[in-house]
Amino acid sequence: MANLVTSSMLWLCLISYAYITIHAAPVWPRGRSTRFYDFKIQTMTVNKLCNSKQIVTVNNMFPGPVVYAQEGDRLIVKVTNESPYNATIHWHGVRQILSCWFDGPSYITQCPIQAGQSFTYEFTMVKQKGTFFWHAHVSWLRATVYGALVVYPKPGVPYPFKYPYEEHIVILGEYWLQDIVQLERQVLASGGGPPPASAYTINGHPGPNYNCSANDLYKIDVVPGKTYLLRLINAGLNMENFFAIANHRLTIVEADAEYTKPFTTDRVMLGPGQTINVLVTADQTIGKYSMAMGPYMSAQNVPFQNISAIAYFQYVGAVPNSLSLPARLPSFNDNLAVKTVMDGLRGLNTSDVPKEIDTNLFLTIGLNVNKCGSKTPQQNCQGLNNGTMSASMNNISFIKPTVSVLEAYYKGIEGYFTDNFPGAPFRFYDFVNGAPNNAPNDTSSMNGTRVKVLEYGTRVQLILQDTGTVTTENHPIHLHGYSFYVVGYGAGNYNPQTASLNLVDPPYMNTIGVPVGGWAAIRFVADNPGVWFMHCHFDIHQSWGLGTVFIVKNGKGHLETLPHPPADLPRC
């Protein structure tokens, strides 16, 4: 991992292919309005955990190159697929205003970029700044195909907090010794669940807790008394994670690329797809302090990696090769620690929280077990009760079509989706504790490519309700094309008579961890026409069908109308 040090006056002049340390300056530099990047999806050999293997990367980097921009910039990224696998790139958290064609989820907004082909993504960071990231959005390739997207405020616009001495990108990930494409095929064919990751990683490095990894670690050198901004990103595949630094407090100032009121805590929890910016002051005695990434597992009877990844927060002047002070992480199932952090998140700029609602939607989310229909059940029915695992919203498992939903919708091609996704469950019951379809009763879901159509400008409230059909679990639910206000959440079943909603300063997010055995209420205005995927950011759950699609219709005039598709849009 390269660790270049550069001033913020220089960063816009560089197309950087490394994880960059940035010295803050009191005034933002002026930059071009359009920024060009060239991504080549390639396979490369890496040596980790005593093993050598081929992984898929961008520009032979793991993690991939950082994309830098300023609010209002236009980004043009040419992606050439030199790997043997289908690929796409999703720009996670970017709202893609009038640029739905470039959002990236395979078979939702585009067909995959096939081997040997290319596609150019073009979009503008409209009224957005902060920490985003990009990742593959086809199969499980994003296990290694990911990188940061850092968008600075407009020139002359400061942070709403004291300028940090330096900024560092810290990406949390998962690493498998198995070939990830083969692993995906094997898991889905088995009907059962995935194996735990071989290791957690911090900026691609597992750290000294793992075999052959004593020197495969990431380190930040810090100056005593200085304050640092860490841009935390969870790019993991199937795990949520705690993060902490030994003896240091973290002050959250941004979540999902939106400023928050400052909130100080000993640790944070990020689900896959979530980003958090924290300020850390090097206010301890000179030494070497562990930065630790460990598991948060809220589901029952699910195997997981319990060895923490370690990086170092090392003071300048510390004795070389000295022992590091260990970071204290919560226990793997500490739901209270997760709730405490969520309780502390308050939006900084929340003047446009929708107070009136036009459409109320209620979505149950959770796992299912379908009956075995295979002639080789020992090979293909390794789920609970000798069935096959699936996942659903409102008990419908989403099946991706063979042509992208956006293309079928735009061109009026029938037969690839139906617009009858239900706005509420087929029946209401005690979703968390008394589900009538608890095993060994009928735990199956229905399959379909069902979408929900919204009129332009609709003010939407969406209740996300966890279910206990198989096991309750904290699900990181991500909505493409929008951020949303998290106006409420709680334990148990949602009750509109007793639910407490925050319409004053709710956090504005794009990925919400729906509490284990609980619910979350989100609000947004459907003012971005296009086809937008909403799904669990656990890739195994997405593969099992935990998702749906919103189609937002055009409004009036060209500024409320989805443009025509790009000429180089990949074909299926």
Side-chain angles (χ1 to χ4, degrees):
M1 173 67 61
N3 184 24
L4 307 180
V5 180
T6 182
S7 73
S8 62
M9 297 302 292
L10 293 176
W11 71 264
L12 285 175
C13 303
L14 299 173
I15 295 181
S16 170
Y17 292 115
Y19 276 69
I20 298 241
T21 300
I22 296 176
H23 286 282
V27 179
W28 294 114
R30 295 186 179 276
R32 303 181 303 272
S33 60
T34 302
R35 307 193 184 282
F36 299 88
Y37 285 84
D38 190 17
F39 276 20
K40 288 181 170 54
I41 300 176
Q42 304 163 324
T43 56
M44 65 176 286
T45 301
V46 295
N47 295 294
K48 285 190 185 298
L49 309 177
C50 315
N51 282 271
S52 176
K53 62 169 285 193
Q54 291 251 310
I55 63 172
V56 182
T57 62
V58 168
N59 297 352
N60 281 327
M61 295 180 59
F62 176 62
V66 184
V67 173
Y68 288 106
Q70 282 182 292
E71 179 183 350
D73 281 353
R74 184 165 184 79
L75 284 166
I76 298 178
V77 186
K78 182 180 180 181
V79 177
T80 302
N81 186 6
E82 298 178 358
S83 82
Y85 310 109
N86 284 345
T88 67
I89 298 294
H90 169 55
W91 312 92
H92 188 106
V94 178
R95 292 182 200 130
Q96 299 290 359
I97 304 299
L98 298 181
S99 55
C100 183
W101 297 104
F102 305 106
D103 189 39
S106 61
Y107 301 106
I108 307 297
T109 62
Q110 69 168 96
C111 297
I113 307 168
Q114 298 178 36
Q117 297 183 351
S118 63
F119 179 52
T120 300
Y121 293 88
E122 299 185 33
F123 53 91
T124 301
M125 300 304 304
V126 180
K127 298 181 179 179
Q128 285 192 277
K129 55 188 174 295
T131 301
F132 306 83
F133 74 115
W134 55 264
H135 60 78
H137 212 305
V138 58
S139 68
W140 293 0
L141 282 185
R142 75 174 184 86
T144 55
V145 180
Y146 61 78
L149 167 57
V150 176
V151 181
Y152 289 93
K154 292 180 178 179
V157 178
Y159 290 142
F161 46 83
K162 183 180 178 180
Y163 280 86
Y165 177 69
E166 286 180 357
E167 302 181 13
H168 294 264
I169 296 166
V170 178
I171 303 188
L172 313 180
E174 294 177 272
Y175 185 83
W176 275 266
L177 287 173
Q178 302 100 312
D179 178 275
I180 197 66
V181 175
Q182 292 180 8
L183 178 65
E184 178 192 19
R185 292 170 181 163
Q186 292 168 2
V187 169
L188 297 182
S190 75
S198 304
Y200 300 124
T201 59
I202 299 176
N203 283 347
H205 302 285
N209 285 350
Y210 294 96
N211 290 337
C212 304
S213 302
N215 296 316
D216 192 357
L217 59 86
Y218 176 71
K219 178 169 65 78
I220 298 175
D221 292 312
V222 300
V223 177
K226 301 296 185 182
T227 297
Y228 295 80
L229 178 69
L230 304 186
R231 298 178 179 270
L232 305 177
I233 299 168
N234 191 335
L237 207 66
N238 293 321
M239 275 298 298
E240 297 177 303
N241 295 99
F242 289 110
F243 176 86
I245 304 177
N247 293 14
H248 288 75
R249 304 270 280 166
L250 313 175
T251 299
I252 300 172
V253 291
E254 178 188 301
D256 281 1
E258 292 290 340
Y259 293 135
T260 63
K261 295 177 180 177
F263 172 67
T264 301
T265 177
D266 291 326
R267 72 282 195 204
V268 293
M269 194 286 286
L270 295 90
Q274 292 184 313
T275 69
I276 294 178
N277 284 8
V278 297
L279 295 174
V280 186
T281 299
D283 56 4
Q284 299 298 304
T285 57
I286 291 177
K288 183 164 63 175
Y289 298 84
S290 292
M291 296 189 289
M293 167 197 180
Y296 170 53
M297 172 53 72
S298 58
Q300 301 295 314
N301 303 314
V302 176
F304 62 93
Q305 175 59 260
N306 201 28
I307 300 175
S308 298
I310 298 296
Y312 292 143
F313 193 75
Q314 183 166 319
Y315 285 58
V316 173
V319 177
N321 302 319
S322 60
L323 294 176
S324 63
L325 280 79
R328 293 184 179 180
L329 292 173
S331 62
F332 72 89
N333 58 356
D334 192 339
N335 299 323
L336 181 59
V338 176
K339 181 180 183 299
T340 301
V341 173
M342 191 64 203
D343 287 346
L345 292 184
R346 292 288 184 267
L348 187 62
N349 305 307
T350 56
S351 60
D352 57 351
V353 180
K355 305 297 194 300
E356 303 294 328
I357 296 300
D358 303 310
T359 296
N360 271 289
L361 303 175
F362 191 107
L363 271 62
T364 58
I365 57 176
L367 305 186
N368 302 81
V369 182
N370 294 332
K371 293 181 179 179
C372 179
S374 171
K375 296 180 180 179
T376 54
Q378 290 185 334
Q379 296 174 349
N380 307 120
C381 301
Q382 298 178 20
L384 295 176
N385 300 308
N386 300 314
T388 60
M389 302 302 298
S390 65
S392 63
M393 288 186 171
N394 281 349
N395 216 45
I396 298 170
S397 294
F398 186 83
I399 304 298
K400 289 185 178 181
T402 54
V403 170
S404 79
V405 177
L406 177 57
E407 193 167 359
Y409 167 67
Y410 185 86
K411 296 180 178 179
I413 307 172
E414 296 183 355
Y416 289 100
F417 68 88
T418 58
D419 60 1
N420 59 344
F421 182 83
F426 296 108
R427 62 173 181 255
F428 281 78
Y429 50 87
D430 184 351
F431 296 112
V432 175
N433 304 300
N437 56 346
N438 274 343
N441 298 321
D442 182 15
T443 58
S444 62
S445 60
M446 295 177 286
N447 291 335
T449 309
R450 302 196 193 186
V451 309
K452 183 68 176 178
V453 179
L454 298 172
E455 296 291 331
Y456 185 92
T458 301
R459 296 166 294 184
V460 180
Q461 176 169 279
L462 177 56
I463 306 299
L464 296 163
Q465 174 69 59
D466 187 29
T467 61
T469 302
V470 174
T471 175
T472 55
E473 185 171 4
N474 184 299
H475 292 274
I477 301 298
H478 173 53
L479 176 59
H480 290 231
Y482 290 89
S483 292
F484 46 76
Y485 288 103
V486 182
V487 297
Y489 52 90
N493 298 301
Y494 174 74
N495 184 336
Q497 274 70 50
T498 59
S500 176
L501 301 184
N502 172 17
L503 303 180
V504 177
D505 58 355
Y508 196 42
M509 307 179 77
N510 61 62
T511 305
I512 175 62
V514 179
V516 53
W519 57 272
I522 66 175
R523 292 186 178 188
F524 65 96
V525 178
D527 56 2
N528 189 14
V531 170
W532 305 110
F533 200 19
M534 184 174 72
H535 61 91
C536 183
H537 222 275
F538 292 145
D539 270 28
I540 183 60
H541 292 179
Q542 186 189 152
S543 297
W544 285 342
L546 212 172
T548 190
V549 165
F550 290 110
I551 292 181
V552 178
K553 296 167 71 173
N554 289 331
K556 298 178 180 179
H558 71 281
L559 292 180
E560 297 179 0
T561 301
L562 182 69
H564 59 75
D568 64 340
L569 187 71
R571 299 179 182 274
C572 287

